[in-house]
Amino acid sequence: GEDFDEIEECKLGTKGNLDLTIKEPSDNGKFNIGDKILIEVDVDNNDNDDKDVNIEAVLYNLDDDEEVEKADESLTIKDGDSETVNLEIEIPENLNEKDDYILYVKAFDDDDEENHCNEKNVKINIQRENAHLVINNLILTKLENRKAKISIDVENEGKDKVENAYIEVKNAELKLNLVSDKFNLNEYNKRGNKITKEFIIDIPQEVEGIFSI
């Protein structure tokens, strides 16, 4: 197989009676920064014995030769049976989308990896959206006299500067319909790509309960 320095590949290459198919994502699948990669693999146990199988999925940076994110699952597959395994990897916001990436998947017998191991990989295309505003934090602080403070952290994870952005805070039962002043945020890799906005709200006397804003 191919040599990926930072991945624990099958020790002796593909061997034994475990068949592995990556159903999702497809080769050259396209994803945005921050997306979740939904992984679906089929594993066939063509052996005469039941197998305790580990499945590992790794998002791997080919340019830096390093593991970015990893997910794994363990299960028993009876002899002659096939199992579908679903895994999920989230693409980090700080990833360099200009590099090349693969999704590497490995299935192996937990008790006998050297003799029963299979591995596959597909190319992953990762791009960064032009504008991608993310709410990183929302803090609600109780104040006196039925008032509260809402503090909201916003970050631009896109590759373009965002101008004239604003935050709306709405809830009909609390009679909230607030709009922040407009603000600009630089692209993701420059200073000035984050901002915190605060709102002071009045809570009506007649209102009690749990509400979403």
Side-chain angles (χ1 to χ4, degrees):
E2 299 171 74
D3 186 29
F4 308 118
D5 290 349
E6 296 301 316
I7 293 179
E8 288 186 24
E9 298 174 82
C10 291
K11 293 173 183 173
L12 299 177
T14 298
K15 287 184 74 91
N17 295 320
L18 293 176
D19 281 346
L20 172 66
T21 306
I22 301 176
K23 302 293 289 286
E24 294 289 341
S26 58
D27 198 26
N28 283 309
K30 289 184 169 59
F31 296 89
N32 287 319
I33 297 282
D35 281 354
K36 288 184 171 67
I37 302 174
L38 302 179
I39 303 157
E40 182 183 324
V41 298
D42 285 349
V43 183
D44 298 325
N45 176 13
N46 296 318
D47 204 66
N48 294 323
D49 297 312
D50 297 352
K51 297 286 181 195
D52 292 327
V53 179
N54 282 356
I55 295 97
E56 295 177 355
V58 178
L59 177 61
Y60 193 76
N61 183 322
L62 292 173
D63 291 75
D64 292 342
D65 254 336
E66 68 179 15
E67 185 180 294
V68 178
E69 294 289 338
K70 183 176 181 178
D72 56 71
E73 181 76 63
S74 300
L75 73 165
T76 300
I77 305 179
K78 294 188 178 301
D79 61 290
D81 270 6
S82 172
E83 294 285 348
T84 298
V85 178
N86 293 288
L87 299 165
E88 189 177 285
I89 288 178
E90 186 168 346
I91 301 172
E93 301 283 356
N94 61 357
L95 180 143
N96 184 353
E97 74 278 5
K98 294 183 176 66
D99 288 347
D100 290 327
Y101 296 88
I102 60 161
L103 180 74
Y104 168 91
V105 180
K106 167 182 167 183
F108 60 95
D109 182 343
D110 198 33
D111 301 315
D112 190 12
E113 179 179 346
E114 291 188 357
N115 290 310
H116 295 281
C117 188
N118 205 328
E119 56 194 353
K120 297 281 172 62
N121 69 79
V122 291
K123 182 173 171 51
I124 298 289
N125 290 311
I126 298 176
Q127 51 204 12
R128 187 177 293 274
E129 294 176 274
N130 292 337
H132 184 203
L133 295 184
V134 178
I135 294 176
N136 282 334
N137 215 356
L138 191 154
I139 300 172
L140 186 64
T141 308
K142 182 181 177 183
L143 304 176
E144 295 179 349
N145 301 321
R146 293 187 70 85
K147 290 183 183 291
K149 180 173 76 172
I150 301 171
S151 180
I152 302 171
D153 296 339
V154 180
E155 182 173 355
N156 179 19
E157 291 291 353
K159 60 186 179 183
D160 290 347
K161 181 177 181 179
V162 174
E163 297 184 338
N164 297 318
Y166 58 89
I167 300 169
E168 291 183 341
V169 178
K170 292 186 174 184
N171 182 286
E173 294 148 305
L174 297 176
K175 301 187 170 94
L176 288 182
N177 190 8
L178 305 173
V179 181
S180 75
D181 54 343
K182 292 185 177 178
F183 54 87
N184 301 331
L185 291 175
N186 284 331
E187 48 267 53
Y188 79 100
N189 56 354
K190 289 190 177 177
R191 282 173 179 250
N193 75 318
K194 302 176 184 178
I195 199 168
T196 299
K197 288 291 180 183
E198 293 183 346
F199 300 86
I200 304 294
I201 64 172
D202 292 300
I203 301 170
Q205 290 287 343
E206 68 276 11
V207 169
E208 288 185 7
I210 297 172
F211 303 92
S212 297
I213 56 173

